[in-house]
Amino acid sequence: MQLTEIRTAGFGGQGVILSAMIIGKAASIYEDRHATLTQSFGPEARGGASSAQVVLSDRPIAYPYVTAPDVLIVMSQEAYTRFAPELKDNGILIVEEDLVRISQLKPTVRVYGVPATRLAEELGRRMVLNVVMVGFFAAVTGLVSPDALRRAVVDSVPPATRDLNLRAFDKGYEYGLAKVSTPVEETEQASMELE
Amino acid sequence: MQADPRGVLTGVHFIDGDHACCEGALAAGARFAAGYPITPSTEVVERFAARIPTVGGTFIQMEDELAASIAILGAVWGGAKAFTVTSGPGFSLMMEHIGFAAMTETPCVFVNVQRGGPSTGLPTLPAQADMMQARWGSHGDYEIIALSPNSPQECFDLTIKAFNLAEQYRTPVMFMMDECVGHMTEKVVIPRPEDIEIYPRRLTRKPPSEYKPYEPAEDLVPEMAHAGNGYRFHVTGLTHDERGYPAMNAATQDRLVRRLKEKIRAAEDRLTFVDEDGVEDAQVIVVSYGITSRVAERAIEMARQKGVKTGRCRLIGIWPFPEKRIRALAQRARAFVVPEINLGQIAREVERAAGGHARTISVTHAGGGVHRPEDIFEAIMEAAR
């Protein structure tokens, strides 16, 4: 059975859980695949590291936990330090590049950076950085279609913020498309510079 | 009877087990809930409190779990379908009223989203260690019905079943979730109201002059009367006769308590809910429930890859314990492997039911997380040896 394991992680308050919720909802409701979302509860959910796990599959999912993520989306240094070692050898790391310095990473991991907070600020609300990250994720991984994700965004945010969140999604998505259209060497160069 | 459309949120949702349980209760017709918030169960009543004003009904946040558990019994006798929701420490406080509900044959549902114990234990982390408490927690002899879901979809489906069984057998039903299933989010399909079967309250059609509140029907379950419709009835936790009057003597006690037990025990076949796969020619059968059944799936897969014929018997209904089914399986398989997030509660039931025909290996976990699939796998391999 082909499983795709995704972990999102960051500070409490960055919308880490919501970003995972949007991905899971898009896959399970709007692409009619299977998705299971689990999250760590506890004191760490308020302030420190916050994290959610999504497993995607074309078949029903029995074991619901992420063991070695295929994709890790991180929005804080602490989350990076804690979760980066779990990544699969050929996994994909997506980072908020202004908040995370990359070090001691498996050389085979593909890295994509996005200044999500800055892009969100350009839209006038820093809080939509998580949806920028989701848009970026859609572009660089192609794991869930942008159409399904946009519908899940609409479903998951307060009605008054729908347009803002859709713009945030598109902004991240376009930034990601531009990123993947650049040659691989340059991307690797960029990630080297991050170190 | 079909579901009242006002409570049914037909559609495809991406929600967690706690929220799905709430929707199941609403779909089943629950219009009263009382609770006292406690992690990891709070989301169930949080959602109920938000939804009930538009559905029509009442939610009360009580001063504690004793109050919550007796308020729902009052609501039931007032005509509502009612439930309460809690976790370990609150469940302990509710024991008195679970016994009262069993004795007075009050149909109701107690949801327990299990966390690590004893006492305050692990508020945010999982366990399955209240399984025996659900069965034996209140004093005296009685039988209970308990169900254990392993996904948000089942939290919806089985909550409806829990309410239906409560009405059919006039008994409190324990809905034994765990933190993992409660906080796990998946697709939940809620059908149309006309596709949801509801067991209506067993209201008497006898005229008031002929009605006796505790006169058993053929299946040993008595009929109820609507308060205010001219029927005389009396609800007491004291040993009572068929009229509901206290009659504290050995003969009445014997008749009443044996019937309370027998009305459920005699229905064991109808109350056996298991999900089986590959048990026909299995060497080893893994018996599990709740979140552990999903962790066990991975171990079963690993064992099958190693050539061990491994079966799955997932318990959906925990109480009454499916003794006959386990006894039958024990004739075929060499051993049972029973992983659970406690130090061996249901494993002993399996061992007892197996009656020495198959070995039982308990794979324990003290709580705070789930098993490593490898631990279950190793037990399967040991059992096959």
Side-chain angles (χ1 to χ4, degrees), chain A residues 1 3 5 20-21 24-25 28-29 32-39 41-43 61-65 67, chain B residues 12-14 16 39 43 124-125 179-181 183-187 291 294-295 297-298 301 370-373:
Chain A
M1 180 166 57
L3 291 174
E5 302 185 345
M21 184 70 91
K25 188 183 276 186
S28 77
I29 297 185
D32 205 25
R33 293 150 75 191
H34 295 272
T36 303
L37 166 74
T38 54
Q39 51 194 292
F41 270 74
I61 296 160
Y63 186 76
Y65 298 106
T67 40
Chain B
V12 184
H13 307 269
F14 192 64
D16 72 15
T39 304
E43 292 91 330
T124 64
L125 298 173
E179 186 276 336
C180 295
V181 170
H183 284 159
M184 170 194 294
T185 304
E186 286 183 332
K187 176 159 58 186
I291 185 59
R294 296 182 62 158
V295 178
E297 267 321 286
R298 183 164 279 189
E301 225 171 84
V370 299
H371 289 75
R372 294 187 323 132

Side-chain angles (χ1 to χ4, degrees), chain B residues 49 57 85 98 139 154 164 166 187 247 256-257 268 273 330 350 366 377 381:
Chain B
V85 179
I98 290 172
H139 55 279
E154 277 198 353
N164 284 346
K187 176 159 58 186
L256 174 60
V257 176
E268 182 188 329
F273 308 114
V350 172
F377 166 72
M381 297 310 282

Side-chain angles (χ1 to χ4, degrees), chain A residues 74-75 94-100 114-118 129 133:
Chain A
V74 282
M75 306 179 213
I94 296 173
V95 293
E96 206 305 353
E97 64 183 23
D98 291 341
L99 298 178
V100 180
V114 55
T117 311
R118 262 192 287 148
L129 90 132
M133 296 295 286

Side-chain angles (χ1 to χ4, degrees), chain A residues 27-56:
Chain A
S28 77
I29 297 185
Y30 297 115
E31 292 188 338
D32 205 25
R33 293 150 75 191
H34 295 272
T36 303
L37 166 74
T38 54
Q39 51 194 292
S40 59
F41 270 74
E44 79 241 58
R46 300 177 195 86
S50 168
S51 160
Q53 317 173 44
V54 188
V55 179
L56 304 180

